[in-house]
Amino acid sequence: MAITDPKIAQDDRSLDQTLRPKGWAEYIGQEMVKKNLKILIQAAQERNEPVEHLLFYGPAGLGKTTLAHLISKELRSQVKVTSGPAIEKVGDLASILTNLSPGDILFIDEVHRLNKLIEEILYPALESRSLDIIIGKGPSARTIQLELPPFTLIAATTRIALLSAPLRSRFSGGTFRLDFYSENEIEKIIERSAKILGINIEKGAVKEVAKRSRFTPRVANRLLKRCRDFAQVEKSQSLTQDLAVRALDLLEIDPLGLEGTDRMILNVIISKFGGGPVGLQTLAAATSEEKETIEEVYEPYLMQLGFLERTPRGRVATGRAYQHLGHSFSGQSAFLS
Ligand code: ADE
């Protein structure tokens, strides 16, 4: 069962509950991660111990939260969901930890945004299940130690490089990287979602949505729903390839899944900065996007496509990006082709 309260975050709506896989067999892709997790879970269950703390990382929308829910289901345990930015004060974390029941899973999303002071409270909680709280100030300050029930922390991040070494080292169960899905896996996810949503979808439409889904299930499900809207308004009984193409074109999602902002970022690098290198800060100012949004939302997919490179001197648009956007590429402005 999942519990969400306002501090215990508001994250849970990001993936439509009805589309969330309910068991391993329904979870498509990430095969190596699944295999390792199944062993970890079975072994811990056989020893009657909680699963050790786990860290998931990788681009947004690939199923980190879904995996945490699957693990809790498998263990028949309760999952309490929160996120780094939702835990503002030491007291917030203390309250979450002291309210855990034996065997609970605590899921912290965006763990790289956890405040450093709060992070330090987490260390003894993870290592020895003790919560050290300082009461009072100055000479009369005292530390009290509370014992916590056995629990498993599952943390997720899109930015593993921002995690401190001490925090990273405490995920004794393992650190797992989620990768972009293959086109074939995305097609299967779309077919599964269409079935659940009662959408009569043509194979050609499945392929069309998959191609433009950035190899990301969350995007695939979102685009599928927008195509369903389009087909419904067009009074069509089924989602045909032609309808999918028209719906996705109308959303200005191009055949490789690039959206307006992706193209704008590349166009700015090419037109204003001669293809780069351009520093992230400068790029953020020139595109009116947050640095973090560029890094976490747009760049992973642009790099996956081989359209953008992060170099020590800044961001560079590659020859492929020039070609896709219809710019002529001489090869000399960027040092990458
Ligand atoms: N929905 C989101 N992620 C999924 C996955 N990996 N498998 C099936 N459905 C999903």
Side-chain angles (χ1 to χ4, degrees):
M1 183 175 50
I3 292 206
T4 39
D5 78 22
K7 272 292 164 219
I8 296 219
Q10 60 303 82
D11 151 283
D12 235 12
R13 274 156 280 162
S14 61
L15 185 73
D16 193 324
Q17 293 297 304
T18 52
L19 298 184
R20 180 166 275 153
K22 306 282 183 300
W24 290 122
E26 287 182 36
Y27 190 98
I28 294 153
Q30 312 295 350
E31 296 303 328
M32 291 307 283
V33 176
K34 271 194 302 194
K35 271 187 196 160
N36 280 298
L37 288 176
K38 281 184 196 173
I39 291 173
L40 208 74
I41 290 171
Q42 188 183 333
Q45 276 179 322
E46 284 173 8
R47 291 194 303 267
N48 212 6
E49 288 171 4
V51 169
E52 291 183 70
H53 308 303
L54 303 170
L55 176 64
F56 296 141
Y57 74 99
L62 297 188
K64 298 185 284 294
T65 308
T66 302
L67 273 183
H69 282 274
L70 267 188
I71 293 170
S72 89
K73 204 160 190 326
E74 203 68 21
L75 292 167
R76 289 186 201 85
S77 60
Q78 193 167 247
V79 58
K80 295 192 169 158
V81 179
T82 186
S83 75
I87 307 173
E88 291 169 4
K89 296 181 293 227
V90 168
D92 296 337
L93 181 64
S95 145
I96 291 169
L97 290 172
T98 51
N99 279 300
L100 292 173
S101 305
D104 274 1
I105 288 175
L106 173 61
F107 178 68
I108 306 184
D109 201 7
E110 295 189 76
V111 72
H112 61 277
R113 293 177 64 188
L114 202 59
N115 169 306
K116 292 292 159 226
L117 275 176
I118 296 170
E119 190 178 307
E120 283 176 19
I121 304 284
L122 203 52
Y123 299 158
L126 296 180
E127 233 161 34
S128 48
R129 281 199 252 131
S130 77
L131 182 63
D132 302 333
I133 304 181
I134 300 169
I135 297 181
K137 280 190 180 145
S140 62
R142 286 182 304 128
T143 306
I144 57 165
Q145 247 184 14
L146 295 178
E147 199 187 324
L148 298 169
F151 72 100
T152 301
L153 172 69
I154 303 182
T157 180
T158 48
R159 305 290 307 284
I160 187 144
L162 299 185
L163 290 202
S164 68
L167 180 57
R168 262 200 258 181
S169 70
R170 279 160 172 95
F171 293 98
S172 48
T175 295
F176 297 92
R177 180 195 146 99
L178 273 70
D179 273 315
F180 284 111
Y181 290 67
S182 69
E183 210 160 294
N184 189 259
E185 288 164 347
I186 292 290
E187 285 177 17
K188 285 190 189 149
I189 290 173
I190 293 167
E191 279 165 349
R192 173 182 176 273
S193 298
K195 207 170 187 180
I196 294 170
L197 296 171
I199 305 170
N200 186 6
I201 188 168
E202 266 186 6
K203 186 70 191 176
V206 172
K207 286 188 173 294
E208 201 57 48
V209 177
K211 269 198 302 178
R212 305 196 201 196
S213 292
R214 309 169 80 94
F215 311 118
T216 303
R218 186 185 296 163
V219 177
N221 286 332
R222 173 165 57 81
L223 298 187
L224 175 65
K225 287 193 203 169
R226 297 295 71 78
C227 288
R228 170 179 69 171
D229 291 348
F230 192 87
Q232 182 186 319
V233 170
E234 291 279 315
K235 310 233 176 304
S236 172
Q237 294 303 311
S238 60
L239 179 51
T240 62
Q241 181 167 9
D242 172 61
L243 283 167
V245 168
R246 285 165 55 206
L248 296 166
D249 284 351
L250 193 63
L251 290 166
E252 299 188 276
I253 295 164
D254 77 16
L256 288 183
L258 297 193
E259 302 190 8
T261 312
D262 300 293
R263 290 190 294 269
M264 191 254 291
I265 290 170
L266 292 174
N267 277 322
V268 164
I269 299 176
I270 291 169
S271 307
K272 285 203 178 151
F273 301 100
V278 52
L280 179 61
Q281 191 100 33
T282 311
L283 184 59
T287 54
S288 306
E289 289 288 334
E290 297 280 335
K291 248 177 18 181
E292 291 74 19
T293 312
I294 295 180
E295 276 188 302
E296 289 171 33
V297 179
Y298 299 106
E299 286 187 344
Y301 183 60
L302 293 176
M303 291 194 297
Q304 172 76 14
L305 287 179
F307 282 7
L308 184 100
E309 301 259 343
R310 285 179 183 158
T311 76
R313 291 170 53 215
R315 274 52 178 173
V316 174
T318 65
R320 279 194 202 176
Y322 276 71
Q323 201 177 19
H324 182 69
L325 295 172
H327 293 274
S328 63
F329 180 66
S330 63
Q332 71 247 34
S333 57
F335 42 75
L336 300 156
S337 57

